Amino acid sequence: MPNGKGSTFTWANFDSDFLLDILDSGKAPPDCKPSVDTDDPAFLATGLNRHYPKPDEAFVTRFQKEIGRYFFGKYPDKLREVMDAPKDIDINMYAASLRDDFERQPMTADRAKKVAAVLLSVGCEGEEAPSRFAQRPPVVNLRDSSANDFNLFPFQKDAIANLQDAFLQKGKKTGMLVMPTGSGKTMTTAYFLLRYMISIGYQVVWLAHRHMLLNQAAGAFYDNSPLIKLHPNSTKERFQLICVSGEHEGIKSVERDDDAIFLSVQSVYNRLDFLESVLREKLIIVVDEAHHAIAKTYLDTIRFIQDRNENAKLLGLTATPIRGYIDKKEDSVPNRQTAYLQKIFGWPPIYDISMGKLITGKFLADPEVERIETGENFESSISKDEARQMAQLNNIPESLAKKIADSKKRNNLIIDHYMKNRDRYKKTLIFALNTVHAQTLHEDLVKKGVKSGCVYSGNPMENNKIIEQFRNDKLDVLVNINIMTEGSDVPGIQTVMLTRPTGSDVLLMQMIGRAMRGSNVGGTETATIVDFHDSWDRYNYWLNPEWLVKAEPEPLPGVAGVAGDTVFIPWAVIRAAYDKAQSGSGQLNSSIAMPYGWYNLVKDDEDYVLLVFEDQVHGYEELIADFNTSGLPNGLNEVMNKYFGGFCVRPSEKDLEVFLSNLSQGTEPPELFQFNDRDEIDPQVVAEKIRKENLNIMTYPDELFAKYPIIESLFGFLPKYRERIFHYMNYPDGRGPGCAVVPFPETARLPFEIDGAYDVEQLMQEVIDEQFGGTNPGIRSIRWTDRPYQSRYGQYIQVALEDGKTASDILINLLLNSSQVPREVVKYVIYHELLHRNYWRHDPTFRKMEHQYPNYVELERFLDYRLPRFYDFPYWDDNNREKKTFPPRDIRKDAEAQYNLGAMYDGEGVEHNYAQAFYWYRKAAEAGHSKAQNSLGSMYDKGEGVEQDHAKAFSWYLKAAEAGNAEAQYNVSVMYETGDGVDQDLVKAAYWRDKANKAFQKKR
């Protein structure tokens, strides 16, 4: 009976005679019967699954006779249990009599429970078939087994030869095998280890992060264990293996006699001591999916084994070569992640073959990924329990799968898409969400005249028959759940349709792999992967098939063996982590909060990824330095305030706790890994790239926004991202006016004194009394920053407390604690931060509330225009990292960029802001930009963003008109004609109108 872990019930696992008897009894709802005559259990069960998702006492009582007549007729052994028959009787002899008794006797509650449990045991299934390695498999007697070699592909032979040379001839202790998805990486490794290492006494410790990977690897070893006998010096007479994970045996079951030990790292991380006594002298550690080796769970496990066996060899397996260099230059150095992987496994790989070569050699099919948007969004129906399961398992829980599977619109789209492309798709394998979904799609295809089959777990005899029909081309389509992910060899599959989202790279690889067999090995030239993609906003970590099948880029010149940049953590994961940090750490200033990288940590024996923002790097580095020298303050809050007490994204208390725990437990501090593509989206880098390469400043940001989803999380929306880039076009530090930021040098160079003029707590109380009626609950503290900052004037921070509640802190820039800064200016900044209690973003509602503060225009003018004049504008980085240099300014390009930014604030691409539009128009106008001069005149003319002044409007119109701007020439003529801003002069009006007309005609 299934253990209940991941199991589901379906009536499709029952005999068709039993199902027909129930449906024809007149006791079942009319819509239970399928719309077509059939004896296929999958069809017959569809309605029953809907009305009776599980058998209960009421169902048993209702269908008592049908259960006795047909069900117990097929399962007489179950009848003994229900009727309490003596164990020593021949059940087959007395079955008919017992069935009669069952049908005639009144149904008691106790008997109904027993019958329901029996029905449940027969009808239960899991998404995965029970693993044959859940318990220790029988020992293989090699003396009685037949040692048959089998053909390997040429590239597999090359890989094995290289492994032999490296580990056995040259005595290497570390190495990496790089073979893409679908190339037989696991089988190649198993062949090498069985024939050439286990055969001479080596023990294998295989590390993986998924129990499915353990099953796959264990199967390759167990089924091919007779290869051991092919080694001429082998004297082994038996082969023994064990799998250890939450789905298999426990670590205490491992024995020294085990030739291959397959370990789920997370399940043994805190029980490594049990390995010490079972490790042999001749030992090789294999890390499946080697890029996981930088995780602390893996590193500690590997180090534990190596510390106890200094001669242990280490082999890493991966489908993705080590990639990722900081920039694309010949003298580029590897980033920290690449360097760390090289440190673990060495470089270059022992063997490396690209997907491109295997496709060219026709060993793999050329994959073509088609992404079909369903337009469906199921997030509004996700329960708290489902959300918790998704967070823990990174996969679709069964209850949510049912909601998706029941979407008629989605199912119709899948069927219609196949029908439109069936001639092109040819032999097609469809992966469905669950049994009901598979049945529904299968039934709909049959109605359309498609030769379709449907397989699901719990029906092995029928499955084998249907799969054989599909293999022999008697079926065009096979619909399944996970039956076809492994162990079913069907050549010639042209298309795989993925109708289920998944966060499991293993499962996704297995589904895609069904179509990746190339034409030289009985497959096809091309493989079509059709991904049906729903709309996911919050839970957007489902893997994209294109990420797995995309061929590697060509190696960079001058960097042997390296193939360009890659991001080992998908952007979707970064975005999820960013959103988590944003919700837990208070308001983030997107102008400075760029994701820098991550720490791989461990929490409760599981890998824990801690996202690190640019402005946090300095804090973490100082924290590590003090931990190793002077020590840390007592208390989490004290550590938080010391190292993240300035203007930065404060880590959540949970993140900081996990970091400190890892720091105190490890022999080395956690390693910080940098995102490789970070600079691709950095507004400052983008601005300089636009300058140097003369890119279109209006369209290039749009391209980046579409390419990198993280930009939306960082900046909120595209216009805000454009704005940041434009600011960097005009200021070295990107600090445009109105950004609540102020560049300045270090304290010692400030020409005005920070003299401690104000008590910030007293000022906040004044603001609360004057603007909030004396109460503004939830503010835990307000304080000055530890030093003056260039980044912003204030920051509102929400802090998650242990009891699940939140508190709020406010930081005010120490720069403002000066008698040269008016008292009301500081209070206005405090008021601004207090508003963030109720308004998260600087949206129109926030601005409306902000502008209710008395005399806000003059206070903002001081902050935006007067305060910066107290000092120079040298670029100074808050984190004291390497100073950035900038190329000489091109005044004409600056003016054009300033005009474009003004035009955007004037209603062309960002939120309408007359004050900002006026500011940028004026900057460009003063530099001689005629369009900006005309626009500035218009703003004075209409009183938009500035007090109306017709004389100034005429002055700017005239400058632009004299520079040849036709629109300005027309405006000048109108002002001469009306006498607004200038003495009326009809002659001059006619003169300028004539010039304007000629200019307009010339443009046409």
Side-chain angles (χ1 to χ4, degrees), residues 892 895-896 899 921-938 955-969 971 1003:
R892 290 170 299 176
E896 182 68 22
Y899 167 74
Y921 280 151
R922 187 177 64 180
K923 293 284 288 184
E926 290 172 347
H929 195 284
S930 64
K931 289 183 180 179
Q933 291 168 340
N934 181 66
S935 296
L936 190 61
S938 177
S955 173
W956 285 111
Y957 280 150
L958 186 60
K959 289 180 184 292
E962 291 173 341
N965 184 285
E967 188 175 346
Q969 291 168 347
N971 290 332
K1003 284 185 178 181

Side-chain angles (χ1 to χ4, degrees), residues 962-981:
E962 291 173 341
N965 184 285
E967 188 175 346
Q969 291 168 347
Y970 176 81
N971 290 332
V972 168
S973 73
V974 170
M975 297 197 81
Y976 270 124
E977 186 175 341
T978 59
D980 290 333

Side-chain angles (χ1 to χ4, degrees), residues 642-694:
K642 179 173 181 179
Y643 299 104
F644 305 99
F647 289 137
C648 69
V649 179
R650 288 166 68 95
S652 69
E653 291 189 359
K654 178 182 177 182
D655 280 349
L656 189 56
E657 282 179 336
V658 174
F659 184 84
L660 292 173
S661 173
N662 280 254
L663 186 62
S664 61
Q665 293 177 12
T667 55
E668 298 180 13
E671 192 78 13
L672 177 61
F673 301 103
Q674 185 178 355
F675 293 125
N676 300 316
D677 287 342
R678 176 181 169 278
D679 283 348
E680 294 291 325
I681 66 170
D682 188 308
Q684 182 182 14
V685 176
V686 173
E688 293 307 313
K689 184 173 182 179
I690 290 173
R691 287 178 183 278
K692 292 178 180 178
E693 300 180 19
N694 199 27

